Structures are given as C-alpha cells and as structure tokens.
Amino acid sequence: NAGVTQTPKFQVLKTGQSMTLQCAQDMNHNSMYWYRQDPGMGLRLIYYSASEGTTDKGEVPNGYNVSRLNKREFSLRLESAAPSQTSVYFCASLYTAFDGELFFGEGSRLTVL
Amino acid sequence: AQKITQTQPGMFVQEKEAVTLDCTYDTSDPSYGLFWYKQPSSGEMIFLIYQGSYDQQNATEGRYSLNFQKARKSANLVISASQLGDSAMYFCAMRDRGNDMRFGAGTRLTVKP
C-alpha cells in the first residue's frame, strides 16, 4: 500500500521562485494536512483540509497556498520562495474517526537559496 | 486554537529503566484527542499511542502508557524498560473536533547503555 505519497522528496529553489508540493493518499481519508519541520524543532501546522472542499489556516500559513484538488490530493504552493521557508515539509492524512492516527508521508526537503 | 507544551528539550534514561516525557495542553473544547509520535533519526513519524478526552482509563500500548490527568491538562508518556532503539524525538499532539491537529516542540530522548 502506498499510503501518503509526497513529491518531490528534495528540491532546491532560488529566492523568489515558485513551486508546488504534491501530496496524495490512497486510504480514503477525509482530512489532510501540511506541516513544516525546521531543524531540531517540532512540526508546525501550515494548512489543513478537514474534508474535501474545505481548507483552513494553521499556525504558520503566511507565504503558502493550498488546494484540495479532490479527496485524494492536497497540494502546497510557495508563490515566491524565501530562505525562511527552507524546511522539511510533511503531508499527512487522517480518517474521520476521532481516535484515528495521522498517517505521514516521507517528507520533502526544501532548500531556498 | 489549542496549544501543546513539551517542557523537556532533552531527556536521558538508563537502558531498562522507565522514563516519563511531559506534555501539557490547553483547549476550551471538551472533546479532543491526544497522541504521541516518535521520530527516529531517519525522519519518519511513528504513531505510538492515543488518548481520548472522554476515555476513563489511561491508554496503554505495549511498553508505552499515557498518564492522562484531565484536570491538570497533562498527558505524559511513560516508556517502561527503555531500549537503545527508543532513542529518538518524541512529540505530543492534540486534535480538536474540527480536526485541527497540532504538535508540541518535542523531547529528544537518549537511552544510555
């Protein structure tokens, strides 16, 4: 089973460039999430989509946009990348059941020069 | 929005001993879920244990147990009989009814032989 798949796994950008991180899950989960993790730190919620057709801001949404394309896919876009956005980005999905755990992708390492 | 606090940046424990990792939370929502995740140096996120706000008993999963004190808003993770493979980052997380799920800053656990 694929679970949660993120692409790309590595990316180097120059300041001001744009890019989209793609995320897809094959578990029929309703909720999807984007987190960032800076070195030695915890995960900070960027945006989430509690269900298809909805998106909500998390703790650190500035500089990002998201699209819940369908139930399977949730993309994260950086319109004008900044060095402060250098981080590891995790996509995750969650079933509706309240005791359901988050299933994580492998992470995408982004470096902005 | 809810807030998760982990006050121990790093902890050391002797192999085969028990260790408690602290987590406190703050929310006005009476219905919520509490989670613990492990992140080894390889970077993946591993689900450990779940506790629901209405659960009467503390959750247990093998060597992991959750010391849930609702009045104090604490959800400490207890690892019994520590093993060298337990050395990792540990994150506490909370999910509210709106499926907003946030993480604490983490505790780095080192198990000494």
Side-chain angles (χ1 to χ4, degrees), chain B residues 42-113:
Chain B
S42 51
E44 73 269 30
M45 297 292 289
I46 302 169
F47 167 72
L48 296 178
I49 196 166
Y50 165 83
Q51 179 84 43
S53 60
Y54 294 118
D55 292 345
Q56 296 297 311
Q57 294 187 334
N58 288 341
T60 60
E61 288 286 348
R63 293 187 300 111
Y64 304 108
S65 60
L66 202 152
N67 184 1
F68 181 46
Q69 298 187 49
K70 194 170 183 176
R72 295 186 176 184
K73 293 189 175 179
S74 73
N76 300 337
L77 177 70
V78 180
I79 305 174
S80 63
S82 296
Q83 302 172 356
L84 295 177
D86 293 335
S87 293
M89 284 290 290
Y90 288 80
F91 295 102
C92 179
M94 184 170 69
R95 170 185 177 182
D96 69 10
R97 277 184 295 181
N99 284 350
D100 186 333
M101 186 149 174
R102 305 207 181 185
F103 286 75
T107 296
R108 181 173 297 281
L109 176 67
T110 302
V111 180
K112 294 182 174 181

Side-chain angles (χ1 to χ4, degrees), chain A residues 30-94:
Chain A
N30 294 309
S31 301
M32 297 185 73
Y33 303 77
W34 278 106
Y35 294 91
R36 61 176 288 174
Q37 184 177 29
D38 299 328
M41 297 182 66
L43 282 75
R44 291 185 291 170
L45 181 63
I46 305 172
Y47 272 94
Y48 69 104
S49 171
S51 61
E52 188 178 358
T54 69
T55 60
D56 287 282
K57 295 179 180 180
E59 303 165 85
V60 288
N62 291 345
Y64 304 95
N65 286 301
V66 290
S67 296
R68 183 73 183 267
L69 305 170
N70 47 55
K71 191 171 186 178
R72 290 186 64 249
E73 299 172 289
F74 189 38
S75 63
L76 178 72
R77 183 161 178 84
L78 287 70
E79 291 290 352
S80 179
S84 61
Q85 293 178 306
T86 293
S87 191
V88 178
Y89 291 84
F90 285 96
C91 178
S93 70
L94 182 69

